[in-house]
Amino acid sequence: MSLDRHRIAARVARDIPRGSHVNLGIGQPTLVADHLPPDSGVVLHTENGMLNMGPAATGGDVDPDLTNAGKAPVTELPGASYFHQADSFAMVRGGHLDVCVLGAFQVSVSGDLANWHTGAPGAIPAVGGAMDLAAGARRVFVMMTLFAEDGTPKLVPACTYPLTGLACVTRLYTDLATFDLGPRGAVVRETHGPTVAELSGRLSLPLAGGPARH
Amino acid sequence: MAVICDTAAEAVRGVEDGSTVLVGGFGLAGMPVALVDALIEQGAADLTVVSNNAGNGDTGLAALLAAGRVRKVVCSFPRQADSWVFEGLHRAGKIELELVPQGNLAERMRAAGAGIGAFYCPTGAGTLLAEGKETREIDGRTHVLEYPIRGDVALIGAHRADRMGNLVYRKTARNFGPVMATAAATTIVQVAEVVDPGTLDPESVVTPGIFVDRVVAA
């Protein structure tokens, strides 16, 4: 069966090595935090300037001076630290983050990422830290639905939306399958419902691999 | 030495038309709203504003934009659910946007403050935001040449200052404050409290007073 966004997030969480320093992009990737085991030792980085960020703040814990990159109120865990933007992006750009998880409009089979701009006339783009994360994190994971609402594939031979980064995404988690991306193209790691042949047909893409089927 | 001002109006005195103004804050966290309100009153126009966002809601930076004082915004993330003021002005062709990746925004100001003439970085290589910029292969990777962003004025928010201008911040409201403080000719700081020298633990000072020109409790 295809996965909903919570189950995609759980699938991503399973692949994050213990003790990693991780940045979760705004939107759906923030759900990954809910699926990290309490003893994972994973330290969450939020690019507005904090390590060891805790869960969302509620009620009396809400503090306007303590937010995540999506500007939602959050909490701090023991061992948290605060730092300014140049230090925060030294962590991102200097290769200190083990993993970042981002959303995407499109991802190419070679790992190009498009997630900041639709390129539509009149659209106001917003990039935030996405280009820094794409270029700087040691591993870049993307989670998204495999098809847009109108049925258009979001895993493509080459992105048509403006790029965020080139050949940066190594792993793609979707509702229908998980892929490794790179110079060899898209390799199916596992599927959630369809066969590799069915996916290949719907995506109009050659797909290598295809071991586990769930 | 930092000057401790009695009012926000006194703190923003002398900002000239056409200035580049660095405005701290990530959304409203760390946004020096009293200084921005005072700048609206002060009347400087034709400003270039450098800030992470392009105003949230109707207060702070959004109010400065709404007052028609800003010619251009340099920021990383202008489009949000509550960025209606900027969007309206931009769509009407009344405000220019230079979109800068957040890490470049921070590092370009850091460079300005540290006397660095330019730097190469892989962020954005091969994308629209690097178009027309000089590139160089370093260690087998394409790097893009980025130049400093220098402010005539920085308006930042901090938690406490002492009378020497030393600053400490609070939680994620720190964000751009320490970087912007170094990058402007005149750095103006809004704090919750001004204390006597010796009150702040010197080991915990985040922005040393050398970077600070004017302070106001607001």
Side-chain angles (χ1 to χ4, degrees):
Chain A
M1 276 300 293
S2 70
L3 307 184
D4 66 14
R5 59 203 180 106
H6 297 281
R7 291 183 64 205
I8 303 174
R11 183 65 197 82
V12 174
R14 223 164 72 201
D15 284 355
I16 293 179
R18 295 177 63 81
S20 299
H21 288 90
V22 177
N23 182 291
L24 301 176
I26 60 180
Q28 288 198 17
T30 58
L31 296 174
V32 172
D34 300 337
H35 299 278
L36 293 167
D39 63 345
S40 70
V42 167
V43 175
L44 294 180
H45 170 264
T46 182
E47 63 265 34
N48 52 316
M50 179 187 194
L51 277 169
N52 223 19
M53 175 176 64
T58 52
D61 286 340
V62 171
D63 180 339
D65 285 346
L66 178 47
T67 69
N68 64 13
K71 304 183 179 68
V74 291
T75 53
E76 64 184 31
L77 295 176
S81 56
Y82 297 108
F83 33 84
H84 61 65
Q85 287 293 286
D87 279 352
S88 184
F89 279 86
M91 295 172 196
V92 173
R93 293 144 64 108
H96 304 282
L97 288 180
D98 298 294
V99 178
C100 79
V101 184
L102 300 173
F105 298 144
Q106 282 180 330
V107 174
S108 83
V109 293
S110 60
D112 292 349
L113 171 65
N115 76 350
W116 68 285
H117 191 1
T118 60
I124 298 175
V127 68
M131 287 190 182
D132 305 290
L133 287 160
R138 291 158 81 171
R139 298 170 79 191
V140 177
F141 294 172
V142 164
M143 65 177 279
M144 66 179 195
T145 56
L146 190 52
F147 295 90
E149 279 177 23
D150 67 0
T152 314
K154 292 160 73 176
L155 173 61
V156 293
C159 294
T160 54
Y161 289 153
L163 293 178
T164 306
L166 279 68
C168 54
V169 182
T170 52
R171 182 76 59 78
L172 171 63
Y173 297 87
T174 76
D175 47 344
L176 298 175
T178 301
F179 304 86
D180 281 326
L181 307 179
R184 291 190 304 144
V187 178
V188 179
R189 289 178 63 84
E190 61 183 6
T191 64
H192 312 297
T195 65
V196 174
E198 285 164 359
L199 280 176
S200 182
R202 284 185 66 191
L203 291 165
S204 303
L205 280 177
L207 293 175
R213 203 179 154 198
H214 299 284
Chain B
M1 176 103 83
V3 173
I4 310 300
C5 301
D6 291 328
T7 64
E10 184 188 337
V12 301
R13 197 169 286 167
V15 177
E16 293 179 6
D17 289 357
S19 295
T20 295
V21 183
L22 316 179
V23 180
F26 184 88
L28 289 172
M31 169 73 60
V33 173
L35 292 178
V36 176
D37 286 347
L39 185 62
I40 295 170
E41 282 293 309
Q42 189 262 1
D46 196 30
L47 302 173
T48 294
V49 164
V50 183
S51 196
N52 190 62
N53 302 104
N56 298 79
D58 293 300
T59 60
L61 184 49
L64 182 67
L65 267 56
R69 305 291 168 68
V70 180
R71 179 180 68 78
K72 178 179 176 181
V73 169
V74 181
C75 76
S76 87
F77 210 85
R79 187 195 66 228
Q80 296 185 273
D82 60 355
S83 58
W84 49 77
V85 172
F86 171 79
E87 287 182 33
L89 290 167
H90 187 61
R91 288 191 201 288
K94 291 181 176 164
I95 199 161
E96 196 183 328
L97 169 66
E98 179 183 342
L99 193 69
V100 179
Q102 199 171 332
N104 280 349
L105 195 62
E107 192 66 13
R108 289 173 65 186
M109 288 188 279
R110 199 195 73 81
I116 307 297
F119 61 91
Y120 282 100
C121 179
T123 292
T127 74
L128 279 180
L129 296 189
E131 267 183 5
K133 295 186 174 181
E134 216 174 304
T135 60
R136 177 177 291 204
E137 297 297 313
I138 300 172
D139 286 338
R141 257 189 120 176
T142 306
H143 287 58
V144 182
L145 183 64
E146 296 288 349
Y147 288 95
I149 297 174
R150 195 166 279 111
D152 297 302
V153 178
L155 306 181
I156 65 173
H159 182 49
R160 298 168 92 195
D162 68 17
R163 292 178 186 283
M164 307 286 290
N166 295 308
L167 305 179
V168 294
Y169 299 81
R170 201 168 165 274
K171 303 183 185 283
T172 59
R174 182 182 304 195
N175 57 67
F176 281 90
V179 181
M180 289 180 170
T182 69
T186 302
T187 292
I188 306 171
V189 188
Q190 168 185 337
V191 293
E193 186 186 13
V194 178
V195 298
D196 288 329
T199 309
L200 300 179
D201 175 4
E203 296 282 5
S204 300
V205 168
V206 175
T207 295
I210 191 171
F211 295 121
V212 174
D213 297 287
R214 302 177 198 166
V215 175
V216 65

